[in-house]
């Protein structure tokens, strides 16, 4: 029985490795062609340039989109925490405005409200500490995106040339052009 299980395990492992190698080969065969992507440049909402992306530009663009997708995933927990932090911050502000009251030149401090403010401040600090890794991951991803965006920009800048205040779209083959007001700006 043990020999059978060992043989079965080895067979499954070999099949898995074989499948992975074939899948990788199939993926490489399905490599995205740079002719599938084009850059459209608009100036004053008038199309002034259409160029296919070369291999280097396409690789840079795809890397940028992959990094952007990861950023969206990283933003989800941070968005929830940010909303909580914002609510706590507003509560602290409201308590501060009530805790310190000046009337007829005298400053009155409500220590009960200050105690509540301190409690909420501690909650805010704890929340920030508990999600410090999420914020760091977001910051790190932001730096990666900035580098990738700068790289992509440097690769397409020669194509754009002297076109100022342009709007750019990167589209797959068959993808329709978006209205000018929905485009990103490149200067």
């Amino acid at each position: 029985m043990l020999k059978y299980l060992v043989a079965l395990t080895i067979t499954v492992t070999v099949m898995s490795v074989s499948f992975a190698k074939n899948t990788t080969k199939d993926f490489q065969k399905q490599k995205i062609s740079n002719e599938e992507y084009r850059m459209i440049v608009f100036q004053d909402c008038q199309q002034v340039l259409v160029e296919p992306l070369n291999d280097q530009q396409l690789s840079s663009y795809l890397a940028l989109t992959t990094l952007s997708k990861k950023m969206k995933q990283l933003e989800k927990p941070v968005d929830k925490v940010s909303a909580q932090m914002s609510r706590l911050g507003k509560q602290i502000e409201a308590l501060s405005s009530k805790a310190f009251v000046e009337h007829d030149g005298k400053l009155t401090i409500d220590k009960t409200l200050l105690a509540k403010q301190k409690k909420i401040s501690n909650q805010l600090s704890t929340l920030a500490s508990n999600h410090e890794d999420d914020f760091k991951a977001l910051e790190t991803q932001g730096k990666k995106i900035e580098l990738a965006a700068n790289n992509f920009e440097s690769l397409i800048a020669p194509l754009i040339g002297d076109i100022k205040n342009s709007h750019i779209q990167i589209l797959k083959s068959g993808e329709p052009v978006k209205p000018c007001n929905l485009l990103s700006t490149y200067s």
Side-chain angles (χ1 to χ4, degrees), residues 54-80:
N54 65 34
D55 289 339
Q56 192 177 17
Q57 292 163 340
L58 178 60
S59 293
S60 179
Y61 173 73
L62 293 176
L64 180 60
T65 57
T66 299
L67 290 169
S68 295
K69 287 176 186 175
K70 184 174 180 184
M71 178 65 107
K72 287 180 182 175
Q73 292 299 316
L74 292 172
E75 287 173 340
K76 288 178 183 179
V78 171
D79 287 344
K80 291 177 184 175

mmCIF file of all heavy atoms in Angstrom, residues 54-80:
data_model
loop_
_atom_site.group_PDB
_atom_site.id
_atom_site.type_symbol
_atom_site.label_atom_id
_atom_site.label_comp_id
_atom_site.label_asym_id
_atom_site.label_seq_id
_atom_site.Cartn_x
_atom_site.Cartn_y
_atom_site.Cartn_z
ATOM 1 N N ASN A 54 5.961 49.857 -29.263
ATOM 2 C CA ASN A 54 7.007 48.876 -29.557
ATOM 3 C C ASN A 54 7.136 47.929 -28.362
ATOM 4 O O ASN A 54 6.469 48.110 -27.336
ATOM 5 C CB ASN A 54 8.334 49.562 -29.916
ATOM 6 C CG ASN A 54 8.939 50.341 -28.768
ATOM 7 O OD1 ASN A 54 8.813 49.964 -27.591
ATOM 8 N ND2 ASN A 54 9.615 51.438 -29.092
ATOM 9 N N ASP A 55 7.973 46.917 -28.491
ATOM 10 C CA ASP A 55 8.090 45.893 -27.432
ATOM 11 C C ASP A 55 8.466 46.497 -26.087
ATOM 12 O O ASP A 55 7.913 46.127 -25.056
ATOM 13 C CB ASP A 55 9.108 44.823 -27.827
ATOM 14 C CG ASP A 55 8.616 43.925 -28.951
ATOM 15 O OD1 ASP A 55 7.387 43.857 -29.154
ATOM 16 O OD2 ASP A 55 9.463 43.298 -29.611
ATOM 17 N N GLN A 56 9.404 47.422 -26.094
ATOM 18 C CA GLN A 56 9.855 48.030 -24.842
ATOM 19 C C GLN A 56 8.744 48.879 -24.208
ATOM 20 O O GLN A 56 8.515 48.819 -23.007
ATOM 21 C CB GLN A 56 11.104 48.879 -25.109
ATOM 22 C CG GLN A 56 11.816 49.324 -23.866
ATOM 23 C CD GLN A 56 13.087 50.111 -24.177
ATOM 24 O OE1 GLN A 56 13.279 50.589 -25.294
ATOM 25 N NE2 GLN A 56 13.952 50.233 -23.199
ATOM 26 N N GLN A 57 8.066 49.647 -25.018
ATOM 27 C CA GLN A 57 6.955 50.464 -24.514
ATOM 28 C C GLN A 57 5.833 49.585 -23.975
ATOM 29 O O GLN A 57 5.265 49.860 -22.917
ATOM 30 C CB GLN A 57 6.421 51.361 -25.635
ATOM 31 C CG GLN A 57 7.382 52.433 -26.067
ATOM 32 C CD GLN A 57 7.013 53.029 -27.414
ATOM 33 O OE1 GLN A 57 6.279 52.428 -28.207
ATOM 34 N NE2 GLN A 57 7.536 54.218 -27.690
ATOM 35 N N LEU A 58 5.527 48.515 -24.709
ATOM 36 C CA LEU A 58 4.468 47.611 -24.280
ATOM 37 C C LEU A 58 4.821 46.941 -22.961
ATOM 38 O O LEU A 58 4.003 46.890 -22.050
ATOM 39 C CB LEU A 58 4.192 46.554 -25.354
ATOM 40 C CG LEU A 58 3.132 45.516 -24.982
ATOM 41 C CD1 LEU A 58 1.790 46.165 -24.693
ATOM 42 C CD2 LEU A 58 3.005 44.479 -26.084
ATOM 43 N N SER A 59 6.049 46.471 -22.842
ATOM 44 C CA SER A 59 6.476 45.842 -21.585
ATOM 45 C C SER A 59 6.372 46.821 -20.429
ATOM 46 O O SER A 59 5.908 46.475 -19.344
ATOM 47 C CB SER A 59 7.919 45.333 -21.692
ATOM 48 O OG SER A 59 7.995 44.282 -22.599
ATOM 49 N N SER A 60 6.791 48.034 -20.669
ATOM 50 C CA SER A 60 6.736 49.065 -19.634
ATOM 51 C C SER A 60 5.293 49.378 -19.266
ATOM 52 O O SER A 60 4.950 49.502 -18.084
ATOM 53 C CB SER A 60 7.451 50.326 -20.129
ATOM 54 O OG SER A 60 7.385 51.335 -19.162
ATOM 55 N N TYR A 61 4.439 49.486 -20.266
ATOM 56 C CA TYR A 61 3.015 49.772 -20.023
ATOM 57 C C TYR A 61 2.351 48.638 -19.249
ATOM 58 O O TYR A 61 1.609 48.875 -18.287
ATOM 59 C CB TYR A 61 2.292 50.009 -21.355
ATOM 60 C CG TYR A 61 0.804 50.139 -21.192
ATOM 61 C CD1 TYR A 61 0.246 51.290 -20.626
ATOM 62 C CD2 TYR A 61 -0.051 49.109 -21.557
ATOM 63 C CE1 TYR A 61 -1.124 51.404 -20.446
ATOM 64 C CE2 TYR A 61 -1.421 49.222 -21.382
ATOM 65 C CZ TYR A 61 -1.949 50.370 -20.827
ATOM 66 O OH TYR A 61 -3.306 50.473 -20.647
ATOM 67 N N LEU A 62 2.617 47.402 -19.646
ATOM 68 C CA LEU A 62 2.013 46.259 -18.964
ATOM 69 C C LEU A 62 2.511 46.142 -17.521
ATOM 70 O O LEU A 62 1.745 45.793 -16.621
ATOM 71 C CB LEU A 62 2.273 44.968 -19.743
ATOM 72 C CG LEU A 62 1.574 44.873 -21.099
ATOM 73 C CD1 LEU A 62 1.974 43.601 -21.829
ATOM 74 C CD2 LEU A 62 0.070 44.969 -20.957
ATOM 75 N N ALA A 63 3.784 46.459 -17.309
ATOM 76 C CA ALA A 63 4.319 46.460 -15.937
ATOM 77 C C ALA A 63 3.599 47.516 -15.104
ATOM 78 O O ALA A 63 3.235 47.273 -13.950
ATOM 79 C CB ALA A 63 5.825 46.722 -15.960
ATOM 80 N N LEU A 64 3.384 48.669 -15.690
ATOM 81 C CA LEU A 64 2.686 49.751 -14.996
ATOM 82 C C LEU A 64 1.250 49.350 -14.648
ATOM 83 O O LEU A 64 0.782 49.590 -13.537
ATOM 84 C CB LEU A 64 2.697 51.020 -15.859
ATOM 85 C CG LEU A 64 2.016 52.252 -15.283
ATOM 86 C CD1 LEU A 64 2.650 52.671 -13.969
ATOM 87 C CD2 LEU A 64 2.098 53.395 -16.301
ATOM 88 N N THR A 65 0.554 48.713 -15.577
ATOM 89 C CA THR A 65 -0.825 48.305 -15.298
ATOM 90 C C THR A 65 -0.874 47.209 -14.235
ATOM 91 O O THR A 65 -1.777 47.198 -13.399
ATOM 92 C CB THR A 65 -1.566 47.838 -16.567
ATOM 93 O OG1 THR A 65 -0.850 46.759 -17.171
ATOM 94 C CG2 THR A 65 -1.719 48.969 -17.567
ATOM 95 N N THR A 66 0.090 46.306 -14.239
ATOM 96 C CA THR A 66 0.155 45.262 -13.207
ATOM 97 C C THR A 66 0.377 45.883 -11.833
ATOM 98 O O THR A 66 -0.282 45.507 -10.858
ATOM 99 C CB THR A 66 1.280 44.260 -13.532
ATOM 100 O OG1 THR A 66 0.997 43.643 -14.787
ATOM 101 C CG2 THR A 66 1.402 43.195 -12.456
ATOM 102 N N LEU A 67 1.293 46.831 -11.763
ATOM 103 C CA LEU A 67 1.546 47.521 -10.496
ATOM 104 C C LEU A 67 0.311 48.298 -10.035
ATOM 105 O O LEU A 67 0.013 48.346 -8.846
ATOM 106 C CB LEU A 67 2.741 48.469 -10.638
ATOM 107 C CG LEU A 67 4.107 47.803 -10.790
ATOM 108 C CD1 LEU A 67 5.164 48.832 -11.184
ATOM 109 C CD2 LEU A 67 4.503 47.065 -9.528
ATOM 110 N N SER A 68 -0.401 48.887 -10.974
ATOM 111 C CA SER A 68 -1.613 49.635 -10.635
ATOM 112 C C SER A 68 -2.704 48.721 -10.089
ATOM 113 O O SER A 68 -3.417 49.092 -9.150
ATOM 114 C CB SER A 68 -2.137 50.382 -11.857
ATOM 115 O OG SER A 68 -1.214 51.368 -12.253
ATOM 116 N N LYS A 69 -2.830 47.529 -10.663
ATOM 117 C CA LYS A 69 -3.816 46.572 -10.162
ATOM 118 C C LYS A 69 -3.484 46.156 -8.727
ATOM 119 O O LYS A 69 -4.370 46.057 -7.890
ATOM 120 C CB LYS A 69 -3.881 45.343 -11.065
ATOM 121 C CG LYS A 69 -4.552 45.605 -12.389
ATOM 122 C CD LYS A 69 -4.498 44.387 -13.282
ATOM 123 C CE LYS A 69 -5.050 44.719 -14.669
ATOM 124 N NZ LYS A 69 -4.898 43.591 -15.602
ATOM 125 N N LYS A 70 -2.200 45.932 -8.476
ATOM 126 C CA LYS A 70 -1.800 45.565 -7.118
ATOM 127 C C LYS A 70 -2.082 46.717 -6.151
ATOM 128 O O LYS A 70 -2.504 46.503 -5.020
ATOM 129 C CB LYS A 70 -0.322 45.178 -7.067
ATOM 130 C CG LYS A 70 0.091 44.706 -5.688
ATOM 131 C CD LYS A 70 1.504 44.194 -5.640
ATOM 132 C CE LYS A 70 1.822 43.735 -4.218
ATOM 133 N NZ LYS A 70 3.202 43.310 -4.088
ATOM 134 N N MET A 71 -1.871 47.939 -6.605
ATOM 135 C CA MET A 71 -2.133 49.109 -5.767
ATOM 136 C C MET A 71 -3.605 49.154 -5.369
ATOM 137 O O MET A 71 -3.932 49.441 -4.216
ATOM 138 C CB MET A 71 -1.737 50.390 -6.495
ATOM 139 C CG MET A 71 -2.034 51.651 -5.709
ATOM 140 S SD MET A 71 -1.062 51.788 -4.210
ATOM 141 C CE MET A 71 0.059 53.063 -4.681
ATOM 142 N N LYS A 72 -4.483 48.863 -6.301
ATOM 143 C CA LYS A 72 -5.920 48.872 -5.995
ATOM 144 C C LYS A 72 -6.253 47.847 -4.922
ATOM 145 O O LYS A 72 -7.087 48.105 -4.057
ATOM 146 C CB LYS A 72 -6.744 48.631 -7.257
ATOM 147 C CG LYS A 72 -6.743 49.829 -8.177
ATOM 148 C CD LYS A 72 -7.552 49.605 -9.420
ATOM 149 C CE LYS A 72 -7.425 50.847 -10.281
ATOM 150 N NZ LYS A 72 -8.044 50.745 -11.565
ATOM 151 N N GLN A 73 -5.593 46.704 -4.977
ATOM 152 C CA GLN A 73 -5.811 45.685 -3.944
ATOM 153 C C GLN A 73 -5.298 46.165 -2.590
ATOM 154 O O GLN A 73 -5.930 45.946 -1.564
ATOM 155 C CB GLN A 73 -5.125 44.367 -4.325
ATOM 156 C CG GLN A 73 -5.742 43.677 -5.510
ATOM 157 C CD GLN A 73 -7.195 43.311 -5.258
ATOM 158 O OE1 GLN A 73 -7.550 42.815 -4.205
ATOM 159 N NE2 GLN A 73 -8.048 43.566 -6.233
ATOM 160 N N LEU A 74 -4.146 46.817 -2.595
ATOM 161 C CA LEU A 74 -3.564 47.318 -1.348
ATOM 162 C C LEU A 74 -4.376 48.472 -0.760
ATOM 163 O O LEU A 74 -4.356 48.696 0.451
ATOM 164 C CB LEU A 74 -2.120 47.781 -1.582
ATOM 165 C CG LEU A 74 -1.104 46.685 -1.895
ATOM 166 C CD1 LEU A 74 0.235 47.307 -2.309
ATOM 167 C CD2 LEU A 74 -0.925 45.739 -0.729
ATOM 168 N N GLU A 75 -5.068 49.205 -1.624
ATOM 169 C CA GLU A 75 -5.850 50.354 -1.161
ATOM 170 C C GLU A 75 -7.105 49.946 -0.396
ATOM 171 O O GLU A 75 -7.582 50.695 0.453
ATOM 172 C CB GLU A 75 -6.259 51.233 -2.349
ATOM 173 C CG GLU A 75 -5.117 52.027 -2.920
ATOM 174 C CD GLU A 75 -5.484 52.767 -4.186
ATOM 175 O OE1 GLU A 75 -6.484 52.394 -4.856
ATOM 176 O OE2 GLU A 75 -4.778 53.722 -4.527
ATOM 177 N N LYS A 76 -7.641 48.770 -0.678
ATOM 178 C CA LYS A 76 -8.907 48.360 -0.064
ATOM 179 C C LYS A 76 -8.872 48.388 1.459
ATOM 180 O O LYS A 76 -9.710 49.049 2.073
ATOM 181 C CB LYS A 76 -9.337 46.988 -0.585
ATOM 182 C CG LYS A 76 -9.809 47.026 -2.018
ATOM 183 C CD LYS A 76 -10.184 45.656 -2.525
ATOM 184 C CE LYS A 76 -10.580 45.733 -3.996
ATOM 185 N NZ LYS A 76 -10.922 44.420 -4.526
ATOM 186 N N PRO A 77 -7.926 47.709 2.112
ATOM 187 C CA PRO A 77 -7.923 47.776 3.582
ATOM 188 C C PRO A 77 -7.589 49.168 4.099
ATOM 189 O O PRO A 77 -8.103 49.598 5.126
ATOM 190 C CB PRO A 77 -6.865 46.750 4.006
ATOM 191 C CG PRO A 77 -6.043 46.488 2.810
ATOM 192 C CD PRO A 77 -6.894 46.793 1.624
ATOM 193 N N VAL A 78 -6.759 49.888 3.377
ATOM 194 C CA VAL A 78 -6.372 51.236 3.798
ATOM 195 C C VAL A 78 -7.551 52.188 3.696
ATOM 196 O O VAL A 78 -7.735 53.061 4.554
ATOM 197 C CB VAL A 78 -5.158 51.738 2.988
ATOM 198 C CG1 VAL A 78 -4.875 53.196 3.245
ATOM 199 C CG2 VAL A 78 -3.928 50.887 3.308
ATOM 200 N N ASP A 79 -8.383 52.016 2.677
ATOM 201 C CA ASP A 79 -9.574 52.865 2.532
ATOM 202 C C ASP A 79 -10.498 52.712 3.735
ATOM 203 O O ASP A 79 -11.030 53.693 4.254
ATOM 204 C CB ASP A 79 -10.336 52.528 1.245
ATOM 205 C CG ASP A 79 -9.627 53.027 -0.003
ATOM 206 O OD1 ASP A 79 -8.727 53.877 0.114
ATOM 207 O OD2 ASP A 79 -9.976 52.551 -1.099
ATOM 208 N N LYS A 80 -10.695 51.468 4.180
ATOM 209 C CA LYS A 80 -11.550 51.228 5.337
ATOM 210 C C LYS A 80 -10.952 51.871 6.586
ATOM 211 O O LYS A 80 -11.657 52.512 7.360
ATOM 212 C CB LYS A 80 -11.737 49.726 5.557
ATOM 213 C CG LYS A 80 -12.563 49.055 4.487
ATOM 214 C CD LYS A 80 -12.649 47.568 4.715
ATOM 215 C CE LYS A 80 -13.392 46.906 3.563
ATOM 216 N NZ LYS A 80 -13.407 45.448 3.687
#
